[in-house]
Amino acid sequence: MNIVAVTQARVSSTRLPNKVLIKIKGQTLLNLHVNRIKKSKRINSIIVATTNNNEDDIIKQETDKLNVTCFRGESDDVLDRYYMAVKKNPPDYIVRLTSDCPLIDAELIDSVIKKTIDSRVDYCSNTLIESFPDGQDIEVFTFQALKKSWEQSILKSDREHVTPFIKKNSNFYNKKKFKVVNFHSNNIKYHRVRMTVDEKEDLMVIKSLVNKLGTENNWKTYSELYLNNYSINKINSHIIRNEGYFKSLKKDI
């Protein structure tokens, strides 16, 4: 079975430019992110999907150092970028990740993959019902689901964020086009943890977590430190989850 992780990366973030190239403990956030994905036992290959913009040439340079594939495509149509990245050699499943999640957990990735395969669904994620930290977002879907979404998605928000079309047209919303399932955490408290990097405050949190626990720990260990340390969680707990998607919805009007 061929399972490919595709993670999107670019330097032109509006809220925190060049964030994936910022270094912590001598590693760029992109480097840390990819190296943690590499620990997955189920992923066969990794593709970093960036844009055709000249400013993202440096992303290609980083992926060469990391010995992973770099695909370059549309800047705003991220759905097209994902589809074109895997079109030539269609995998059975795609794992969608984002490079602003430097502490992504490979064991958690493998658990979501297993759930997807065992459930025989088109799509599975730990985000349909938020019970995991922001920064541990994992989506797994079939190539056929991606292809159908690429062919039929029209809204800008659907194309900028890859998977909304699948979710909105699934049994989760009483629709029949796609069969989906959620991967749950055993403790809802973890949805309060924020270990993604969108703002400068988020970067401060990641640095704090890494300075105290290093770069090799699991998601739950980082989460417990975050939840039990007010000096850390107060830094970014005010930031809205999925703010980028909410902004995209305004473009649909």
Side-chain angles (χ1 to χ4, degrees), residues 15-50:
R15 287 174 283 178
L16 187 60
N18 299 305
K19 62 184 178 182
V20 298
L21 301 178
I22 295 172
K23 288 188 176 182
I24 297 178
K25 296 285 188 180
Q27 294 188 69
T28 64
L29 294 186
L30 179 60
N31 189 315
L32 177 56
H33 174 73
V34 170
N35 283 338
R36 287 179 65 92
I37 298 171
K38 284 181 177 179
K39 294 178 181 178
S40 165
K41 296 177 181 179
R42 291 179 176 267
I43 290 172
N44 301 112
S45 60
I46 301 170
I47 299 173
V48 176
T50 192

Side-chain angles (χ1 to χ4, degrees), residues 53-70:
N53 299 338
N54 292 337
E55 62 193 0
D56 285 321
D57 290 350
I58 195 167
I59 298 293
K60 175 64 167 64
Q61 295 170 17
E62 282 291 299
T63 58
D64 288 346
K65 295 176 186 176
L66 292 166
N67 196 30
V68 294
T69 300
C70 180

Side-chain angles (χ1 to χ4, degrees), residues 227-251:
L227 289 171
N228 295 310
N229 193 320
Y230 179 68
S231 66
I232 294 177
N233 64 54
K234 72 176 182 179
I235 298 171
N236 70 348
S237 59
H238 63 283
I239 301 174
I240 299 172
R241 187 167 185 157
N242 297 325
E243 185 179 2
Y245 179 60
F246 294 132
K247 288 182 177 179
S248 291
L249 289 174
K250 296 178 181 178
K251 300 177 184 178

Side-chain angles (χ1 to χ4, degrees), residues 167-178:
K167 290 180 280 190
K168 290 186 297 186
N169 290 279
S170 74
N171 54 285
F172 192 74
Y173 289 96
N174 297 315
K175 301 294 179 61
K176 297 182 179 180
K177 195 182 293 287
F178 301 102

Side-chain angles (χ1 to χ4, degrees), residues 112-130:
V112 180
I113 292 172
K114 184 178 185 302
K115 175 79 170 181
T116 312
I117 296 170
D118 291 348
S119 301
R120 299 184 179 182
V121 293
D122 302 302
Y123 169 99
C124 174
S125 79
N126 62 349
T127 61
L128 284 170
I129 300 170
E130 293 173 354

Side-chain angles (χ1 to χ4, degrees), residues 22-206:
I22 295 172
K23 288 188 176 182
I24 297 178
K25 296 285 188 180
Q27 294 188 69
T28 64
L29 294 186
L30 179 60
N31 189 315
L32 177 56
H33 174 73
V34 170
N35 283 338
R36 287 179 65 92
I37 298 171
K38 284 181 177 179
K39 294 178 181 178
S40 165
K41 296 177 181 179
R42 291 179 176 267
I43 290 172
N44 301 112
S45 60
I46 301 170
I47 299 173
V48 176
T50 192
T51 79
N52 286 318
N53 299 338
N54 292 337
E55 62 193 0
D56 285 321
D57 290 350
I58 195 167
I59 298 293
K60 175 64 167 64
Q61 295 170 17
E62 282 291 299
T63 58
D64 288 346
K65 295 176 186 176
L66 292 166
N67 196 30
V68 294
T69 300
C70 180
F71 176 83
R72 307 189 69 170
E74 293 291 329
S75 176
D76 295 328
D77 191 343
V78 189
L79 173 57
D80 182 76
R81 203 193 309 168
Y82 266 71
Y83 178 68
M84 291 301 173
V86 299
K87 180 184 177 183
K88 288 185 179 179
N89 297 292
D92 298 292
Y93 293 94
I94 298 102
V95 181
R96 182 186 177 230
L97 305 165
T98 57
S99 60
D100 52 9
C101 301
L103 298 179
I104 194 70
D105 191 297
E107 188 172 330
L108 182 57
I109 292 172
D110 286 347
S111 295
V112 180
I113 292 172
K114 184 178 185 302
K115 175 79 170 181
T116 312
I117 296 170
D118 291 348
S119 301
R120 299 184 179 182
V121 293
D122 302 302
Y123 169 99
C124 174
S125 79
N126 62 349
T127 61
L128 284 170
I129 300 170
E130 293 173 354
S131 62
F132 283 89
D134 191 356
Q136 295 296 330
D137 297 356
I138 300 160
E139 299 179 286
V140 182
F141 42 88
T142 65
F143 173 76
Q144 289 304 317
L146 176 66
K147 183 174 185 288
K148 189 179 291 185
S149 183
W150 177 79
E151 292 171 340
Q152 299 180 19
S153 294
I154 298 173
L155 296 176
K156 288 185 178 180
S157 59
D158 289 346
R159 303 201 70 90
E160 283 187 1
H161 294 274
V162 185
T163 58
F165 182 84
I166 295 174
K167 290 180 280 190
K168 290 186 297 186
N169 290 279
S170 74
N171 54 285
F172 192 74
Y173 289 96
N174 297 315
K175 301 294 179 61
K176 297 182 179 180
K177 195 182 293 287
F178 301 102
K179 186 177 180 181
V180 308
V181 67
N182 187 68
F183 184 88
H184 297 274
S185 166
N186 291 327
N187 196 324
I188 194 70
K189 70 177 182 179
Y190 292 119
H191 84 282
R192 304 199 309 269
V193 177
R194 183 175 173 87
M195 59 175 77
T196 188
V197 181
D198 286 324
E199 310 280 356
K200 61 181 181 180
E201 292 90 345
D202 295 327
L203 181 62
M204 293 170 62
V205 167
I206 296 297

